[in-house]
Every structure is written in structure tokens, then in C-alpha cells.
């Protein structure tokens, strides 16, 4: 029994050191301390109690000893915290159990015990040896486990460091990713800008070469066309002379049938020549318009008042159209910026630009108005009282003169917006327009370092925005 | 009767002028001669000494010697002969150059024959 108490104290010691090492705040600590106290008390009192003559004291001692070790066994095998001590307990368990059995046999059947004592003693000795052997084995295992544990802690620490590095790396990666996304967006934006600049360049180049081509063709056509016109004119004069001479000769004579036939034919030839001259002149005016392309940079430049110029040509256009077409009816509005300074321009050329665009605007919305009137079932109430209106606005916007000419006409269909500045492009009926007005306007404004922009919405209207650089002070 | 030289690389100009000035030629007021290049014009002027031609109308744009070069040549060799230019390019640059080199008048194409006729009439009257 003495040994059992010794083992109890040993187990308690291990449990206590276990608690100290791994979980100093464990609520079990208190119980362990009580156990120590009880163990020590039983141990000290054991000497007197076990060998006392009072059988009751002997039994009490045994019960207390067994209770303590049983309690410890219960703790070791059920509380997970004490798992480490389990192996040690396993080592001494056979010895304890044998010890207890021996004592009870000795107590309950002394005769049997006496005859089998040697066997019990031998078993106990073996159990003891087993315990010692197991103790050392366990100790070694524990040491290994301890090393493992330290290694695990070390690994844990390394893992923690790696986690930290990983986290900071992730932040860095996120930062860089954001930076890259930002750069990508910037690049995409730049690319977009470049593409539109390229498209503009291509357009400008195309317009320039078209302008040159147009002027070149005009030059080539002009001379032969002059001959056509001149010869038709001179032939006309010659027939005049023939008719004069014939009239004189036939004044007092009777005209034969042949004479009359000749006169008729001469009159027809004259009419034909007039037709040739008429159409030749028509071609000539087209050629003049085409030649305008090569002259768009030649007008003399003087400081001019854009407001006055815009106003003048707006009225000129209005009255010009009205003189030609009595049914023409339209409204116009102006909104001029008085802060617009004088600008050095070829005022006649720029005036032509205004005239061309304003003419187009009036034409577009007056035509629209006529079409609306011919439509019987107008669903849109606002269109019933449609009044064509052209508005000219000037603005001084950070160093540039901006002249906007807008109408409330039908708008320019999307598919032809690209083409309207090309020479000979027109939507007017044959003979009504040469298709040179806007291409010429484009050239003139280009020659002044400006640009013409177009905003148009079908069914709403069209706005031409002319931007001209102001003079540098 | 005055002798007028017309210079143009387009041969049909002769036909046109002869028809346009038919009356004046028939009336014996003027005589027309033609040259189809600057060199030809100078040869025509030099063939008589002193030259009978008193007035030259010349185109400016011609292959070889241009009208403006012809103008300078004529003016240096025969300063008394009047020279007027007829050009399709009515820009200020050509006009200034022609007048500076001593051209009497500057006409633009397409030719307004009434203008030329009145110029010739004025010239005859001033003689």
C-alpha cells in the first residue's frame, strides 16, 4: 500500500507539472493541490495506520489509498488535459492493481494468500519491473514528444511569419493589381483617343486630297468648257449675222417654202446654241465652285467682326431664299456674344461658309415643314404647328470663337453624316445644289485653322458648330 | 490697220478669235496673227524689223516659255509693243507679277470678248 501512495504522489506531481506547463489557469489545479495534501497525509500516516493492530484503521487506510488512486485514475483517463500522464499510469497500473488484489486477498482469505504468497510477490516484482521499464520507455517517448512539441511550436511560429509575409504580399499584389488596372484603363483611354485622332486625321487627309482632286479636275475641265461656251456664243452671233443678211435680202421678195424652212432651221440651231450656252454656263458655275477649293486659302485676311458677319449672311440667306421662293416661310433667331473680339479672317470666304450652312439650314427645315403639311394624319401634336427656325449663336470660349448654326429640321441621317463634307455630295434634287457648298466650307474653315463639328438628331434638328481660333494678343 | 498677235498654246483659239473679230478683220481695222508658244511669238515679232505687230495678247499658262516670261522678253526687246495677259488664273499673285513686268491689261478666262474689243478700240483711237 505504501507503494501505491507513492505512485499517487508521483501521478499528482506529474499532473501538477502538466497543469503548470500547459494550462496554469485550469480549474482542476485546486483539486490537484487537495490531492497532494490528501496523498501526503495518507503517505505520512500510512506507516502507523497500516501496521496498526486496529483492523479498522488498516481498512480505512486501504480504502483511502484506493480511493485516491481510483480518483486519480478517473482523472487521468477521462480528462483530456491529462492525456500525457496516461502512459505513465498505464505503466504503473498493473502494479497498482496487483497490489490492491494482493491486499484484498490477504485481508479476505489469509490462508489462501499464505499458500500463494510467493506467486503474488513474484507477480508484484514483475509488475514493478514492468512499471520501471515502462517508466523509462515513457520518459524517452515523452522527451521525444517534447522535442516534437518544440519543433511544432517552431513550425507554428514559422507558419505565423509566413502568414504575415503572405498577408503583406497579398496587400502588395492587390496594390499592384489596382495600379495595373488603372494603367490599363489609362492606356485604353489613350488608345481610344489615338484612334479617334487617327480617324480625324484620315478624314482630314481624305478631305484635303478630295479638295485637291476637285480643283485639279476643275482646272482641266475649265479650258475645254470655255471653248464650248465661246464657240457656241460665236456660232450664235454668226447665225444672227446670217439672219440679218437674209432679212435684208428677202425684205422685198416673196419667201419661198425653202426660205421658210431655212429660217425655221436657223431658229432651231440658234435655240440649240442657246441651250449649249445655258448648260455650258451651268457647268462653268460648278467648275467655279470646284476651283474655290484651290482658292480657299487665298482671300485677303482682315480683322472682322464675326457677329456682324454672321448677322449679315443670315439675313442675306433669308432674303435670298425668300426672293426665289414666295412660299418660303421661316423664323430665325440670333444670340451673339458681344465679348467676341475682332478676328483676322478672309471675311468673304468665311461669309460664304455662313451662307452655305445657313442656306442648308433654311432649306432643310422649310422642306421639312412642307412635308409635314402634306402629311394628313400627324400623330404628334407639336408637329402640327411646326415653324421652321434657324438659330445663329456666337460664343467666346477660351480663346476660340464658336459660331453655332442650328435648325429644327429633320436632322441628318446617321449614314450620310460622314459624307456631307465630301465634294459633290448633295441630298437636294438634281440642279438644286452642286454638293460643293459644305466641302468648300470645310476647306475654308480648315485654312483658317478652325474646324466644323456636327451634332444632329433625326427628327430634332441639326447643329453645325464652327470653331475659329481667335487672334493671339 | 493694226497688227495684233495672239499667243496661246490652244490652237482652237485662232478659230475662235478669227470668228469673233470677223467684222473688224473684214473692215480692215485689224489684222490677226497667231503664235502657239512663247518662242513662236518672239520669232513672229522678230521676223519684221521694226515689227509690224503693235499689240500682243498672251496666255500665261503655256508649256515652255510662260506668258509672263514672254512678257518680259517682249518688253526688253520691243518696249513699244503693248502686251496684255489673258489667264485662267485670276489670282493676285499672277496679276501683280504681270502688271509689274509692264503688262497693259490683265484679262481672265473665260474671255469676255466685249472687253477685248473695247480695249482694241481704245487702243486704235489713241493711235
Amino acid at each position: 500500500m505504501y507503494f501505491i501512495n507513492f505512485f499517487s504522489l508521483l501521478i499528482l506531481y506529474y499532473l501538477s507539472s502538466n497543469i503548470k506547463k500547459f494550462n496554469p489557469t485550469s480549474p482542476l489545479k485546486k483539486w490537484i493541490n487537495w490531492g497532494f495534501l490528501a496523498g501526503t497525509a495518507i503517505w505520512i500516516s500510512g506507516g502507523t495506520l497500516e501496521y496498526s493492530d486496529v483492523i479498522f484503521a488498516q481498512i480505512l487506510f486501504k480504502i483511502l489509498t484506493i480511493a485516491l488512486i481510483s480518483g486519480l485514475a478517473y482523472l487521468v483517463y477521462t480528462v483530456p488535459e491529462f492525456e500525457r500522464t496516461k502512459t505513465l499510469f498505464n505503466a504503473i497500473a498493473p502494479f497498482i492493481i496487483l497490489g490492491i488484489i494482493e491486499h484484498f486477498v490477504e485481508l479476505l482469505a489469509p490462508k489462501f494468500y499464505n499458500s500463494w504468497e510467493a506467486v503474488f510477490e513474484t507477480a508484484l516484482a514483475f509488475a514493478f519491473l514492468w512499471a520501471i521499464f515502462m517508466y523509462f520507455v515513457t520518459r524517452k517517448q515523452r522527451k521525444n514528444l517534447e522535442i516534437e512539441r518544440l519543433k511544432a511550436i517552431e513550425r507554428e511560429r514559422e507558419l505565423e511569419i509566413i502568414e504575415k509575409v503572405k498577408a503583406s504580399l497579398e496587400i502588395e499584389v492587390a496594390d499592384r493589381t489596382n495600379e495595373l488596372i488603372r494603367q490599363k484603363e489609362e492606356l485604353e483611354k489613350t488608345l481610344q483617343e489615338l484612334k479617334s485622332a487617327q480617324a480625324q486625321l484620315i478624314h482630314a487627309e481624305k478631305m484635303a486630297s478630295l479638295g485637291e482632286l476637285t480643283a485639279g479636275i476643275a482646272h482641266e475641265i475649265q479650258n475645254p468648257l470655255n471653248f464650248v461656251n465661246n464657240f457656241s456664243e460665236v456660232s450664235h452671233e454668226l447665225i444672227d449675222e446670217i439672219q440679218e443678211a437674209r432679212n435684208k435680202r428677202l425684205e422685198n421678195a416673196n419667201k419661198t417654202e425653202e426660205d421658210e424652212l431655212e429660217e425655221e432651221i436657223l431658229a432651231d440651231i440658234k435655240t440649240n446654241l442657246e441651250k449649249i450656252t445655258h448648260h455650258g454656263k451651268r457647268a462653268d458655275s460648278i467648275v467655279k465652285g470646284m476651283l474655290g477649293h484651290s482658292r480657299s486659302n487665298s482671300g485677303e485676311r482682315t480683322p472682322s467682326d464675326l457677329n456682324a458677319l454672321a448677322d449679315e449672311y443670315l439675313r442675306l440667306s433669308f432674303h435670298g431664299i425668300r426672293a426665289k421662293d414666295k412660299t418660303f416661310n421661316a423664323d430665325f433667331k440670333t444670340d451673339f456674344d458681344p465679348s467676341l473680339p475682332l478676328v483676322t479672317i478672309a471675311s468673304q470666304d468665311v461669309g460664304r461658309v455662313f451662307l452655305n450652312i445657313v442656306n442648308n439650314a433654311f432649306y432643310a427645315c422649310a422642306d421639312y415643314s412642307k412635308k409635314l403639311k402634306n402629311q394628313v394624319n400627324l400623330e404628334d401634336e407639336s408637329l402640327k404647328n411646326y415653324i421652321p427656325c434657324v438659330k445663329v449663336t456666337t460664343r467666346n470660349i477660351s480663346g476660340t470663337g464658336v459660331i453655332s448654326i442650328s435648325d429644327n429640321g429633320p436632322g441628318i441621317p446617321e449614314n450620310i453624316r460622314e459624307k456631307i463634307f465630301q465634294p459633290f455630295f448633295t441630298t437636294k434634287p438634281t440642279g438644286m445644289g452642286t454638293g460643293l457648298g459644305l466641302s468648300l466650307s470645310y476647306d475654308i474653315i480648315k485654312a483658317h485653322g478652325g474646324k466644323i463639328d456636327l451634332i444632329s438628331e433625326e427628327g430634332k434638328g441639326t447643329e453645325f458648330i464652327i470653331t475659329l481660333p481667335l487672334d493671339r494678343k | 490697220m493694226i497688227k495684233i498677235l495672239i499667243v496661246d498654246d490652244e490652237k482652237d483659239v485662232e478659230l475662235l478669235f478669227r470668228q469673233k473679230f470677223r467684222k473688224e478683220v473684214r473692215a480692215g481695222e485689224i489684222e490677226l496673227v497667231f503664235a502657239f508658244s512663247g518662242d513662236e511669238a518672239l520669232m513672229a515679232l522678230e521676223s519684221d524689223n521694226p515689227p509690224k505687230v503693235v499689240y500682243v495678247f498672251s496666255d500665261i499658262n503655256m508649256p515652255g516659255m510662260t506668258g509672263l516670261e514672254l512678257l518680259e522678253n517682249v518688253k526688253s526687246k520691243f518696249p513699244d509693243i503693248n502686251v496684255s495677259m489673258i489667264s485662267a488664273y485670276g489670282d493676285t499673285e499672277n496679276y501683280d507679277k504681270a502688271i509689274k513686268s509692264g503688262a497693259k491689261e490683265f484679262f481672265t478666262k473665260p474671255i469676255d470678248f466685249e472687253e477685248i474689243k473695247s480695249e482694241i478700240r481704245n487702243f486704235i483711237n489713241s493711235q
Side-chain angles (χ1 to χ4, degrees):
Chain A
M1 281 288 133
Y2 224 67
F3 275 109
I4 292 173
N5 278 320
F6 167 75
F7 283 130
S8 291
L9 285 174
L10 188 71
I11 296 289
L12 276 165
Y13 166 74
Y14 270 104
L15 290 185
S16 142
S17 74
N18 206 347
I19 280 180
K20 266 185 209 150
K21 222 187 235 168
F22 298 106
N23 194 4
T25 57
S26 170
L28 290 167
K29 195 174 172 182
K30 196 170 67 182
W31 293 104
I32 301 294
N33 288 340
W34 277 113
F36 253 121
L37 217 62
T40 316
I42 295 167
W43 167 276
I44 290 167
S45 62
T48 40
L49 285 176
E50 194 174 6
Y51 300 106
S52 109
D53 294 331
V54 186
I55 194 120
F56 171 73
Q58 270 189 39
I59 291 169
L60 179 70
F61 171 74
K62 278 173 186 159
I63 287 169
L64 282 175
T65 304
I66 291 163
L68 183 62
I69 198 77
S70 308
L72 286 172
Y74 174 78
L75 275 181
V76 169
Y77 285 107
T78 54
V79 181
E81 214 174 315
F82 298 135
E83 190 147 355
R84 293 160 181 282
T85 323
K86 222 191 258 177
T87 43
L88 178 72
F89 211 96
N90 286 341
I92 55 172
F95 182 79
I96 291 167
I97 291 164
L98 263 178
I100 291 169
I101 291 168
E102 191 199 342
H103 275 279
F104 276 99
V105 170
E106 191 185 358
L107 199 69
L108 298 173
K111 275 186 198 156
F112 178 80
Y113 177 78
N114 282 340
S115 56
W116 289 88
E117 191 179 358
V119 177
F120 276 114
E121 291 299 318
T122 318
L124 265 181
F126 274 113
F128 188 70
L129 281 176
W130 165 258
I132 289 168
F133 173 73
M134 280 305 283
Y135 173 77
F136 282 108
V137 168
T138 322
R139 224 173 71 136
K140 204 179 166 202
Q141 271 177 355
R142 273 169 49 110
K143 269 184 187 159
N144 285 343
L145 272 174
E146 188 66 10
I147 290 165
E148 281 297 313
R149 197 178 65 88
L150 288 175
K151 273 187 189 161
I153 288 169
E154 188 64 24
R155 268 205 299 277
E156 196 107 326
R157 209 171 290 146
E158 274 172 15
L159 264 175
E160 247 168 58
I161 291 168
I162 287 169
E163 275 302 316
K164 266 186 205 155
V165 171
K166 200 177 139 202
S168 74
L169 270 176
E170 257 163 26
I171 290 167
E172 211 169 307
V173 166
D175 279 354
R176 292 211 182 147
T177 310
N178 285 340
E179 176 71 9
L180 279 173
I181 288 170
R182 203 176 55 73
Q183 282 180 353
K184 183 183 153 254
E185 276 163 6
E186 242 167 60
L187 279 172
E188 268 172 3
K189 211 177 119 215
T190 314
L191 184 69
Q192 212 51 48
E193 282 169 4
L194 275 174
K195 270 187 185 161
S196 85
Q198 191 193 31
Q200 276 172 16
L201 270 177
I202 290 170
H203 188 242
E205 188 63 30
K206 195 166 130 193
M207 294 305 295
S209 53
L210 272 173
E212 271 170 41
L213 182 70
T214 309
I217 293 170
H219 275 299
E220 290 306 310
I221 291 175
Q222 203 183 30
N223 277 335
L225 187 60
N226 283 341
F227 276 117
V228 170
N229 286 334
N230 285 326
F231 276 115
S232 107
E233 263 173 26
V234 81
S235 302
H236 193 272
E237 285 167 22
L238 292 177
I239 290 178
D240 272 346
E241 275 181 52
I242 292 175
Q243 282 177 329
E244 233 172 84
R246 277 174 61 87
N247 287 346
K248 246 183 226 168
R249 182 161 53 83
L250 296 171
E251 209 169 3
N252 299 316
N254 285 332
K255 281 183 193 171
T256 62
E257 217 170 281
E258 284 84 4
D259 287 334
E260 267 167 25
L261 182 68
E262 275 172 18
E263 259 169 35
E264 206 183 300
I265 291 173
L266 281 174
D268 277 353
I269 294 175
K270 239 173 109 173
T271 315
N272 292 353
L273 290 168
E274 272 160 20
K275 284 285 163 214
I276 293 174
T277 310
H278 168 76
H279 291 287
K281 287 267 152 69
R282 212 177 112 196
D284 196 54
S285 77
I286 295 171
V287 167
K288 286 263 158 43
M290 288 162 77
L291 279 172
H293 274 287
S294 66
R295 282 206 290 270
S296 56
N297 200 10
S298 63
E300 200 188 334
R301 296 193 180 186
T302 48
S304 315
D305 181 353
L306 281 177
N307 290 341
L309 197 68
D311 197 44
E312 182 191 337
Y313 279 94
L314 174 64
R315 281 161 211 286
L316 195 68
S317 166
F318 181 77
H319 294 296
I321 298 175
R322 192 154 234 192
K324 271 189 241 161
D325 179 6
K326 294 279 177 252
T327 64
F328 171 75
N329 186 28
D331 195 9
F332 63 83
K333 286 180 190 149
T334 57
D335 177 8
F336 294 140
D337 185 348
S339 78
L340 207 59
L342 293 184
V343 190
T344 305
I345 48 168
S347 58
Q348 276 210 325
D349 290 348
V350 175
R352 264 177 85 183
V353 174
F354 293 163
L355 188 68
N356 281 334
I357 296 177
V358 173
N359 272 345
N360 284 347
F362 275 130
Y363 178 88
C365 52
D367 196 49
Y368 190 45
S369 167
K370 277 179 199 160
K371 276 185 189 148
L372 288 179
K373 279 193 185 121
N374 290 338
Q375 252 171 290
V376 189
N377 303 318
L378 262 185
E379 280 177 22
D380 195 339
E381 279 295 319
S382 65
L383 288 176
K384 275 186 183 162
N385 302 316
Y386 176 81
I387 295 168
C389 182
V390 172
K391 191 175 177 190
V392 179
T393 311
T394 60
R395 289 282 177 270
N396 178 359
I397 299 171
S398 55
T400 54
V402 179
I403 304 104
S404 147
I405 298 166
S406 60
D407 64 60
N408 59 351
I412 299 173
E414 184 113 35
N415 58 333
I416 63 165
R417 273 177 217 168
E418 283 261 303
K419 295 182 194 154
I420 59 163
F421 291 110
Q422 291 174 9
F424 301 112
F425 182 82
T426 182
T427 56
K428 291 180 186 169
T430 317
M432 294 284 282
T434 57
L436 288 168
L438 279 182
S439 83
L440 200 60
S441 303
Y442 181 92
D443 276 14
I444 289 168
I445 296 303
K446 197 96 194 163
H448 282 82
K451 59 175 180 149
I452 304 181
D453 289 310
L454 172 69
I455 300 170
S456 188
E457 198 180 331
E458 283 187 64
K460 289 266 153 78
T462 301
E463 182 180 11
F464 280 87
I465 301 161
I466 302 164
T467 314
L468 283 170
L470 297 179
D471 300 353
R472 290 212 187 101
K473 297 252 163 82
Chain B
M1 156 96 77
I2 60 162
K3 202 168 181 178
I4 295 169
L5 173 66
I6 316 282
V7 191
D8 199 311
D9 59 319
E10 293 267 11
K11 292 222 162 76
D12 278 348
V13 164
E14 178 169 2
L15 205 60
L16 187 63
F17 268 76
R18 286 208 187 284
Q19 290 186 20
K20 278 278 179 189
F21 289 92
R22 183 191 295 271
K23 281 183 194 164
E24 288 82 355
V25 171
R26 197 178 286 162
E29 288 169 17
I30 58 172
E31 186 192 343
L32 293 175
V33 283
F34 291 86
F36 302 109
S37 71
D39 291 317
E40 236 178 87
L42 282 177
M43 262 156 54
L45 291 177
E46 282 160 358
S47 63
D48 296 307
N49 201 10
K52 287 178 183 158
V53 171
V54 290
Y55 206 142
V56 176
F57 289 91
S58 174
D59 184 23
I60 287 184
N61 256 44
M62 290 186 293
M65 188 189 296
T66 70
L68 290 171
E69 285 163 0
L70 175 67
L71 170 65
E72 276 171 28
N73 277 324
V74 172
K75 278 291 161 188
S76 68
K77 284 177 186 159
F78 315 102
D80 293 337
I81 298 179
N82 281 299
V83 183
S84 284
M85 310 310 293
I86 302 173
S87 174
Y89 303 86
D91 53 296
T92 44
E93 200 186 329
N94 270 332
Y95 178 84
D96 291 346
K97 225 184 239 171
I99 297 300
K100 226 170 83 188
S101 304
K104 189 166 181 296
E105 295 293 335
F106 192 98
F107 300 99
T108 52
K109 284 184 181 177
I111 305 167
D112 182 346
F113 283 94
E114 286 312 311
E115 269 186 351
I116 295 193
K117 274 182 187 171
S118 74
E119 165 66 15
I120 291 171
R121 213 163 293 129
N122 289 342
F123 177 75
I124 293 170
N125 291 341
S126 70
Q127 290 283 298

